[in-house]
Every structure is written in C-alpha cells, then in structure tokens.
Amino acid sequence: SCFRGRLASAGDYFVWVADRDGDQPRIGDDDEGRVLYHDGAPDSYVNSIMSCISALLGRNDLAPPIGVLSFRNILFGRVEPYNKVKNGLRTFEEGGYTAYRAVRGERENMLLFDHGPLGYLSIAAHGHADALSVWLHVDGQPVLVDSGTYLYHSGGEWRDYMRSTVAHNTLAINGESTSRISGPFNWSKKANSKLLHSKTDGDCFVVTAEHDGYSQTHGTVHRRTIESGRFGEYLITDVLVGGDTPFDVEIGFLLNPALTVKQTAEGFDIFRKGNSRVIKIINSSEELAANLQFGSDKPAGGWYSDKFNSKKPAYRLVFSGVIRAGTKSVTRILTAVTEATAC
C-alpha cells in the first residue's frame, strides 16, 4: 500500500509537469541511465515511466499525454494517452517545486518554480545550484530550460559550469553560485530554500520563496515572487533582503536551442525558428542592463546539454547591474497571443 502510494505521488508530479506534447522540464543531472531500455527505438523515458505507473495502478489519469511504446510495456501493460492537461497551481512541498498550468490567451502554459533542497540527501548528489530557478513551456515547446549535465568526472570546468548558478534561470551575485561545489558531485556549502507564500484565485496566482545561499558570503537573502500579471504575462520580482553594500547581480534566462531571439529596446523577443513569437521578456529596472549571450570557447555564456556527453550553444538572456538591498527588480514574461484574463 505504501509502495503504491509513493508511485501514485510520483505519477501525480509527472502529470503536472508534462506539457501537452509530452515534454517535461529536465532538472539537475541526467546521464540517461536506464534499467530497462530498448536501444535503437525511440524512448521517451519519463512518458514511458508514466505509462507503467498508470498501468500498474489502473489509473488512466496518470497516463502520459502522448502514446509511447517501450520494452517496459511487456512487463507493466499498455495504456491509452490521457491528454486532459492539469490547470491551476500545485505545490509539491517535500520536493520543493510549484507548478502552474493554464491556457492563457489561447496558449497552454506550464511554469515550474524551484524552492526545494539542493540535490539528493546529505551530499546533494546530482544537484545543481539552481535555487529559485524557473522553467517554462508554452504550447508544448520547452522555452526556459535547465543547462543539463554534459559530463561527470571528465567534465572538469564544464562540469562545474553546468551546475553553477549562472547557468540557470535565477539571480547570481558576482557570478558566484548559491551553493559551493566540492568535486564532481559533492557540495561543501548548500543553499537552503523555503516557500514563504502561495495563493491562487482562478487563473491568477502568486508564489514567494527565498534562499540563504548568499547569507554567509554577502549577508543577504534572495527572495523571489512569481505571479500572474495582466493578459497572460508572468511577473518575476527579485529582491535582496539584508546587506549594506551594493550588489553586482545578474538575472539570467537560458533558452532552448530550438529557439531564436531578437533583442529590442524593450527586452527580448523569442521565436520558434522560422515561425511566430513564443514569448517576450522585459526587465524595466533602471539599474539593470540587458545583454545577450550565445556560447563561447570556454565554460561561460549560453550552453545547453541535450544529453550526456553533448552540449550545444544556446541563447542566454541576462539583466545585469548593481543594486542595493530592498531594490525590487521585476521581469515580465509575456506569453499570450490574444487578450487573456487580467489578474
């Protein structure tokens, strides 16, 4: 009974973070390790696991949104896709993630917010310094993504970079990570995150969390609030609480390499290649300047690892400058193509 309950909890999480095309945010390390795997055949791993959970528990509502076939189906059975996507706000307190699902301005949105612990258990294995990071999928398209893994022991500087704070969709001070890396897997200092506030009202929501990763080094706490704004936009408000000296900060957003970007006087327009605009990102803070990065010859700028031992240059949107404690920096992410419900 306990085992089945844990499987149901895992299935519930997968359903909330699977977009309509069966893509889920990739978080932290992933070396594509598989227990059962049919080499040479398409293997949508998370969706195949969802299919097995659904079949084992006899719950079609936990099935993936797309049809998948894998070697696992021989053991667990096959289920039909369940394409009724979730709507609303769902917080997974133990894991430390909040997911928001909605169709706003004719577009399906899936936004995920990290306010949980670093990595796995005491050594935080396979964790990334991504405290208060966000992921965003729009109409089945991963848009704001995690940097990925690339390599383990042989990765060297690249291994450190892919786990660093500046490679993730959050705020960094002086280019430093919120947790301190100690070897290819371990951490000597770990940021502690906590959820402060969560509220939803129909299509509208607000979630606030903070972490103490900079409290020892800079005497400040990073607090982030994400809320639904007017007409299908999201407002991300970052503020540093405590500290007497100005802080050199950058707020970065890593884009899926399948997307292109155009910098404008307002911010950034993000497009599908050869297609329509997906989102627009604006930060109106006078203290921060907008910059666009795209790969480099060294571990810096925009890089994305789509699978183990592979990396691709990707666009990274950066708002950087010097701010003081208490200064609120608001980033607006516009996703709607038509007028949506105002919040």
Side-chain angles (χ1 to χ4, degrees), residues 14 20 33 35-36 58 61 162 164 202 211 256 269 285 291 296 315 338:
F14 289 144
R20 70 181 190 187
V35 176
L36 297 175
D61 63 308
M162 290 302 203
S164 69
H211 75 78
N256 187 318
D269 287 331
S285 302
N291 298 285
S296 66
Y315 287 106
T338 61

Side-chain angles (χ1 to χ4, degrees), residues 89 91 98 113 115 195-199 205-209 224-228:
L89 193 75
T91 294
T98 291
F113 183 29
H115 46 76
L195 179 67
L196 299 179
H197 174 75
S198 176
K199 181 181 179 181
F205 77 96
V206 57
V207 181
T208 300
R224 169 169 276 189
T225 296
I226 303 179
E227 58 189 314
S228 49

Side-chain angles (χ1 to χ4, degrees), residues 33-322:
R34 305 288 187 262
V35 176
L36 297 175
Y37 177 60
H38 180 197
D39 192 18
D43 183 40
S44 179
Y45 179 61
V46 176
N47 291 291
S48 68
I49 297 299
M50 293 173 68
S51 177
C52 292
I53 292 174
S54 173
L56 182 64
L57 299 181
R59 289 184 52 183
N60 185 245
D61 63 308
L62 298 181
I66 59 172
V68 294
L69 282 176
S70 76
F71 184 73
R72 302 174 191 87
N73 293 113
I74 298 175
L75 299 178
F76 296 100
R78 183 180 178 184
V79 296
E80 294 299 319
Y82 188 80
N83 53 18
K84 296 180 181 178
V85 298
K86 294 288 188 180
N87 282 289
L89 193 75
R90 178 74 158 86
T91 294
F92 298 88
E93 295 184 8
E94 186 174 350
Y97 292 94
T98 291
Y100 174 72
R101 306 293 300 268
V103 176
R104 309 192 73 205
E106 297 183 2
R107 281 187 163 166
E108 182 221 5
N109 288 206
M110 193 283 292
L111 183 142
L112 190 66
F113 183 29
D114 177 5
H115 46 76
L118 171 74
Y120 183 64
L121 300 180
S122 60
I123 64 172
H126 299 289
H128 287 195
D130 57 0
L132 306 193
S133 190
V134 297
W135 294 257
L136 176 66
H137 292 205
V138 177
D139 281 347
Q141 170 72 66
V143 179
L144 302 181
V145 296
D146 188 280
S147 54
T149 306
Y150 182 45
L151 289 170
Y152 283 160
H153 293 286
S154 58
E157 291 182 342
W158 284 102
R159 171 64 172 157
D160 291 347
Y161 174 74
M162 290 302 203
R163 293 192 293 162
S164 69
T165 296
V166 294
H168 293 82
N169 305 321
T170 187
L171 176 147
I173 298 179
N174 291 343
E176 301 170 16
S177 287
T178 53
S179 296
R180 186 175 298 117
I181 293 172
S182 178
F185 292 95
N186 293 3
W187 303 82
S188 61
K189 180 182 75 71
K190 294 176 284 187
N192 297 296
S193 301
K194 63 179 179 180
L195 179 67
L196 299 179
H197 174 75
S198 176
K199 181 181 179 181
T200 181
D201 181 10
D203 286 340
C204 306
F205 77 96
V206 57
V207 181
T208 300
E210 66 181 24
H211 75 78
D212 64 359
Y214 294 122
S215 60
Q216 294 182 13
T217 53
H218 297 281
T220 192
V221 168
H222 175 207
R223 185 173 295 166
R224 169 169 276 189
T225 296
I226 303 179
E227 58 189 314
S228 49
R230 300 183 62 202
F231 310 131
E233 71 177 353
Y234 299 104
L235 306 178
I236 301 178
T237 302
D238 292 295
V239 61
L240 297 174
V241 181
D244 299 326
T245 60
F247 301 101
D248 188 355
V249 306
E250 58 180 274
I251 302 170
F253 298 95
L254 182 66
L255 297 182
N256 187 318
L259 303 172
T260 60
V261 60
K262 177 182 178 182
Q263 187 168 356
T264 68
E266 289 184 304
F268 302 96
D269 287 331
I270 292 90
F271 300 86
R272 290 184 177 89
K273 290 184 177 179
N275 207 329
S276 59
R277 190 179 77 185
V278 182
I279 65 171
K280 185 180 187 71
I281 298 182
I282 302 169
N283 186 298
S284 56
S285 302
E286 295 181 357
E287 295 86 355
L288 303 183
N291 298 285
L292 185 61
Q293 301 174 350
F294 184 77
S296 66
D297 294 331
K298 59 182 180 178
W303 285 97
Y304 172 77
S305 177
D306 59 327
K307 59 184 178 180
F308 199 72
N309 196 30
S310 172
K311 68 180 188 297
K312 299 178 179 181
Y315 287 106
R316 181 173 181 256
L317 319 182
V318 182
F319 301 100
S320 59
V322 177

Side-chain angles (χ1 to χ4, degrees), residues 328-340:
K328 293 183 178 181
S329 173
V330 180
T331 303
R332 296 169 56 210
I333 301 178
L334 293 79
T335 66
V337 289
T338 61
E339 186 171 298

